[in-house]
Amino acid sequence: MAKMIDVARLAGVSVATVSRVLAGSAHVSRETREKVLRAMADLDYKPNLLARNLRKMESKTIVVVIPDISNPFFSDVIRGIQHVAKEHGYHVLLGDTQNDVDAEWDFIEMIKERAADGVILVTARTSPEKIMEMAQEVPLVMACEYIQGAELPMVTIDNVISAKRVVDHLAALGHRRIGFIAGPLHVIISRDRLQGFVLGLREHGLEQDSSLIVEGDFSIPSGYDQAVRLLQLPEPPTAIFASNDEMAIGAVKAVKQMGLKVPQDVAVVGFDDIPMATVIEPALTTICQPKFEIGKKAMEILLQLIQQSNRSHGHLKLPEKLIVRDSCGGRLKG
Amino acid sequence: MAKMIDVARLAGVSVATVSRVLAGSAHVSRETREKVLRAMADLDYKPNLLARNLRKMESKTIVVVIPDISNPFFSDVIRGIQHVAKEHGYHVLLGDTQNDVDAEWDFIEMIKERAADGVILVTARTSPEKIMEMAQEVPLVMACEYIQGAELPMVTIDNVISAKRVVDHLAALGHRRIGFIAGPLHVIISRDRLQGFVLGLREHGLEQDSSLIVEGDFSIPSGYDQAVRLLQLPEPPTAIFASNDEMAIGAVKAVKQMGLKVPQDVAVVGFDDIPMATVIEPALTTICQPKFEIGKKAMEILLQLIQQSNRSHGHLKLPEKLIVRDSCGGRLKG
DNA sequence: CAAATAGGTGTAATCGATTTCAAAGGAGTC
DNA sequence: GACTCCTTTGAAATCGATTACACCTATTTG
């Protein structure tokens, strides 16, 4: 493998000049530049990034920490991140934690070893305090998840408003008793969605029956189980709003299994708009997070952070979209 | 950030000794080792990987090139790769090509820049010749996809045998007219599955009607369209075997839309066993590739390749599994 | 015409680790 | 006591780029 000094010798110049040509910048005469470029081509020269990285003390790599790549929700976020990363010559290291807190921490530590220049957290199992502390020392951006009141860059949607919009929609369709399957309530976005739900009920003057609010764990089976609980109430709801699409899919299964029809007997709404939402029957009405955009934005902010570490960024909220499909009858009736 | 020389000074030894302690190896007295370890702890010393990598001329990083991370099929493969990578101190760089041939090539080139020590291709849009040529120069393993007759390490299942097993199953259930939706036939694994299908027909003495063989592009809509074509034949098949789960899901939709029932009127079988296969109704009978295992094995072979580049590896075929669910009635009848 | 300025280039230091080579010290052997 | 051998340690070279600094030439300016 040819190195810079070989190019320099062949072109009859010094390594400094070769480096200058490589950097594109600075003062190099057209003549010299061409000589050097020809020599590089002749030798099929590729700069050694290991050497460059050491000298510049950067890795041109960022880590994306996600709880589970199998979850389709994250792939679009990653694509958004990679899109911007590529444009700026950055590589993306995959930090799949498999929901393991220690693994999460290991990936963040990589920055201290200079294996990465920054990190995007698309999860937050580690304690908020530790994350906030870490954000002081290394370029760190949170995406999708966030920490309440934290002074670090975060890119999400407004989960409260989004959930409220779902209630608006259901209320407009004439639903008065709406069941809510919350996500695990120790997660902030679950609490936000619950809050938006309650806010919506209040605003539309709908019943606030605490037996209509149940808690799942974001999985399909838990959606199924909790929907069964709701449907077995003495006065079952006419609509079920699940805090993510997986649980909504479970809920649809439960409704069907009890001999009822979606959306005629029970309307179902999800949250996130994963690919499966369009495949199941009926296709799921849901909130679509701008996943790709979130990834892009998070990466853009991270780049700013890497370039000048003092810039202050707060909580950025991107607009979500209500996607009306077939599972709550909105498209048919309205 | 403390560096090695700081540790050395604090411990009253030379950097060589610190490095030896770090490497864990060699001859260092217990006393000295403890002094050094204490100094490292006191200073919260983290070795600078950039420097180490340059000196050792390795990046401890591998690239996984995949056509599209949104495709759930790949996430398990990646998880398998990462599992082994992590055990051996390697990082995994994400090479999502978005089905772009040039991007595929860019990622492979990263090895020449020493940004990665090896590459696992979970796709193969680039020409076979170029890949084989590249495999001479850099550690490269193919997973899931392969090149016929190539002398490079490849980890896949046996697509011919797998497809034949599906026909075995359908024949055992009494089906005589079986429709086949092939994948794009310029892809080798599509041709293999077709070959296995034909082999199965022949072995069981079933009709070989060329109008029963159609070609899709692995997408849900194409599965739908091709299934419609099959069902509109004067003598429609009683079973449809799609070359992947997405197309099978499209086929199920088509069957339902034509007022027929799965599996009573038409049995449907898929291939790959993606997560969605268990969610749709009826749950899909399909071939389950050992995705995680494929990833693990591919990474293990890559590590051997990196450590001693001369070892010769051929085409490794891992066992697949036929997963019988509800979409072909096998579970109910048999 | 001398001085200042700017462009173009080379020399050598530098990034922070690993590793070769040599040497010091101690134990064991005859 | 002289020799070898082994363990432990340090000094210095090394990996391949980037870049601060110095230098030379040519042009502009007062």
Side-chain angles (χ1 to χ4, degrees):
Chain A
M1 205 63 196
K3 33 195 204 174
M4 188 171 271
I5 193 161
D6 301 321
V7 176
R9 267 201 271 269
L10 182 60
V13 298
S14 74
V15 288
T17 302
V18 177
S19 179
R20 279 189 272 256
V21 170
L22 217 49
S25 75
H27 320 282
V28 181
S29 72
R30 158 195 297 279
E31 214 180 350
T32 311
R33 181 193 315 284
E34 280 170 3
K35 263 194 311 191
V36 171
L37 287 174
R38 207 164 323 121
M40 294 202 303
D42 285 358
L43 294 170
D44 189 29
Y45 169 75
K46 299 253 187 303
N48 184 318
L49 295 186
L50 262 28
R52 173 184 298 173
N53 290 347
L54 171 61
R55 180 58 229 243
K56 300 183 112 176
M57 208 46 79
E58 65 179 12
S59 61
K60 281 283 182 177
T61 298
I62 65 113
V63 196
V64 181
V65 182
I66 38 178
D68 178 13
I69 26 169
S70 309
N71 188 326
F73 177 81
F74 297 116
S75 32
D76 280 334
V77 181
I78 297 177
R79 281 183 42 231
I81 292 171
Q82 195 160 46
H83 182 82
V84 176
K86 189 172 186 176
E87 273 178 355
H88 292 81
Y90 277 78
H91 295 143
V92 177
L93 256 165
L94 201 59
D96 183 16
T97 64
Q98 299 289 313
N99 285 308
D100 172 4
V101 178
D102 291 339
E104 191 172 314
W105 206 244
D106 288 347
F107 285 118
I108 300 179
E109 289 279 317
M110 282 176 49
I111 299 183
K112 295 212 170 158
E113 299 175 331
R114 321 230 79 137
D117 298 340
V119 60
I120 296 179
L121 286 184
V122 196
T123 172
R125 310 269 159 160
T126 318
S127 74
E129 294 75 26
K130 278 178 92 175
I131 291 179
M132 287 171 69
E133 198 185 308
M134 189 53 90
Q136 303 291 324
E137 303 175 41
V138 305
L140 182 152
V141 176
M142 295 188 71
C144 300
E145 293 268 352
Y146 74 98
I147 299 176
Q148 197 152 30
E151 283 293 323
L152 51 92
M154 303 175 286
V155 184
T156 69
I157 57 165
D158 188 324
N159 286 282
V160 179
I161 301 292
S162 305
K164 192 187 146 297
R165 284 186 61 192
V166 170
V167 180
D168 292 346
H169 181 68
L170 290 172
L173 293 174
H175 292 280
R176 313 288 308 163
R177 270 183 82 73
I178 305 174
F180 183 75
I181 308 181
L185 289 174
H186 59 90
V187 177
I188 179 101
I189 59 173
S190 297
R191 291 201 298 274
D192 284 352
R193 290 174 192 178
L194 172 58
Q195 190 189 331
F197 171 72
V198 173
L199 206 69
L201 293 187
R202 213 172 292 155
E203 191 165 299
H204 294 281
L206 304 180
E207 319 183 43
Q208 294 184 48
D209 180 345
S210 68
S211 64
L212 285 177
I213 296 177
V214 294
E215 180 179 348
D217 66 3
F218 281 149
S219 72
I220 293 180
S222 86
Y224 180 93
D225 295 342
Q226 298 306 318
V228 168
R229 253 180 79 188
L230 289 173
L231 296 171
Q232 284 176 338
L233 289 174
E235 248 188 298
T238 60
I240 295 178
F241 174 17
S243 289
N244 76 342
D245 285 349
E246 275 91 345
M247 294 198 296
I249 289 169
V252 168
K253 274 203 173 176
V255 173
K256 287 183 182 171
Q257 205 119 92
M258 296 184 79
L260 301 172
K261 287 198 167 173
V262 180
Q264 291 85 342
D265 300 314
V266 182
V268 175
V269 182
F271 204 112
D272 284 350
D273 196 28
I274 64 177
M276 236 181 264
T278 63
V279 173
I280 66 152
E281 287 163 12
L284 216 53
T285 289
T286 190
I287 290 285
C288 176
Q289 296 203 38
K291 313 180 202 56
F292 189 84
E293 290 298 321
I294 290 177
K296 267 178 65 175
K297 209 71 202 171
M299 185 65 205
E300 281 166 11
I301 293 173
L302 184 62
L303 284 174
Q304 289 174 14
L305 234 48
I306 290 172
Q307 278 152 23
Q308 47 206 93
S309 54
N310 56 337
R311 192 164 317 188
S312 76
H313 292 274
H315 189 168
L316 178 65
K317 291 178 185 172
L318 297 182
E320 83 292 343
K321 229 166 38 191
L322 174 68
I323 306 283
V324 179
R325 296 205 182 90
D326 308 327
S327 68
C328 61
R331 199 148 62 172
L332 308 173
K333 292 184 193 172
Chain B
M1 205 63 194
K3 34 193 201 175
M4 188 172 271
I5 195 160
D6 300 321
V7 176
R9 267 202 271 268
L10 182 61
V13 298
S14 74
V15 288
T17 302
V18 178
S19 179
R20 278 188 273 256
V21 171
L22 217 48
S25 75
H27 318 284
V28 181
S29 73
R30 157 193 300 279
E31 214 179 354
T32 311
R33 179 191 318 284
E34 281 170 1
K35 262 193 312 191
V36 172
L37 288 175
R38 209 167 320 123
M40 293 202 305
D42 285 357
L43 294 171
D44 189 28
Y45 170 74
K46 300 251 186 305
N48 184 319
L49 295 185
L50 262 28
R52 174 183 297 172
N53 290 346
L54 170 61
R55 180 56 229 240
K56 299 182 112 176
M57 207 47 77
E58 65 179 12
S59 61
K60 281 282 181 178
T61 298
I62 65 114
V63 195
V64 181
V65 182
I66 38 178
D68 179 13
I69 24 169
S70 309
N71 188 326
F73 176 81
F74 297 117
S75 32
D76 279 335
V77 180
I78 297 177
R79 281 183 42 231
I81 292 171
Q82 196 161 45
H83 182 82
V84 177
K86 188 173 184 176
E87 273 178 354
H88 292 80
Y90 277 78
H91 296 143
V92 176
L93 256 165
L94 201 59
D96 184 16
T97 64
Q98 299 289 315
N99 286 307
D100 172 5
V101 178
D102 291 338
E104 191 172 313
W105 205 245
D106 287 347
F107 285 118
I108 300 178
E109 289 278 318
M110 283 176 48
I111 298 183
K112 295 211 170 158
E113 299 175 330
R114 319 232 83 134
D117 299 340
V119 60
I120 297 178
L121 286 185
V122 196
T123 172
R125 310 271 159 158
T126 319
S127 74
E129 294 76 27
K130 276 178 92 175
I131 292 179
M132 287 171 69
E133 197 186 308
M134 188 53 91
Q136 303 290 325
E137 304 175 40
V138 304
L140 181 151
V141 176
M142 295 187 71
C144 300
E145 292 269 351
Y146 74 99
I147 298 175
Q148 198 152 29
E151 283 293 322
L152 51 91
M154 303 176 285
V155 185
T156 69
I157 56 166
D158 189 322
N159 285 281
V160 179
I161 301 292
S162 304
K164 192 186 144 298
R165 284 187 61 194
V166 170
V167 180
D168 291 347
H169 181 68
L170 290 172
L173 293 174
H175 292 281
R176 313 289 307 164
R177 269 182 83 73
I178 305 174
F180 183 75
I181 308 180
L185 288 174
H186 60 89
V187 177
I188 179 101
I189 58 173
S190 297
R191 291 201 298 274
D192 284 352
R193 291 173 193 179
L194 172 58
Q195 189 189 332
F197 170 72
V198 174
L199 207 68
L201 292 187
R202 213 173 292 156
E203 191 164 299
H204 294 281
L206 304 181
E207 318 182 44
Q208 294 183 46
D209 180 346
S210 67
S211 65
L212 286 177
I213 296 177
V214 294
E215 180 180 347
D217 67 3
F218 280 150
S219 72
I220 293 180
S222 84
Y224 180 92
D225 295 342
Q226 298 305 318
V228 168
R229 253 180 79 188
L230 290 173
L231 295 170
Q232 284 175 339
L233 288 175
E235 248 189 297
T238 62
I240 295 178
F241 174 16
S243 289
N244 76 343
D245 285 350
E246 275 92 344
M247 293 198 297
I249 288 169
V252 168
K253 274 203 173 175
V255 172
K256 287 183 181 171
Q257 205 119 93
M258 296 186 77
L260 301 172
K261 287 197 166 174
V262 180
Q264 291 86 339
D265 300 315
V266 183
V268 175
V269 182
F271 204 113
D272 284 349
D273 195 28
I274 63 176
M276 237 183 264
T278 64
V279 174
I280 65 152
E281 286 163 11
L284 216 54
T285 288
T286 190
I287 290 285
C288 176
Q289 297 203 38
K291 314 179 202 54
F292 190 83
E293 290 299 321
I294 289 177
K296 267 178 65 174
K297 208 72 203 172
M299 185 65 204
E300 281 166 11
I301 293 173
L302 184 61
L303 283 174
Q304 289 174 14
L305 234 49
I306 290 172
Q307 277 151 24
Q308 47 206 94
S309 55
N310 56 338
R311 192 164 318 187
S312 75
H313 292 274
H315 189 168
L316 178 65
K317 291 177 186 172
L318 297 181
E320 82 294 343
K321 230 166 36 191
L322 175 69
I323 308 282
V324 178
R325 297 207 181 90
D326 308 326
S327 68
C328 60
R331 200 148 64 174
L332 308 172
K333 293 184 192 170

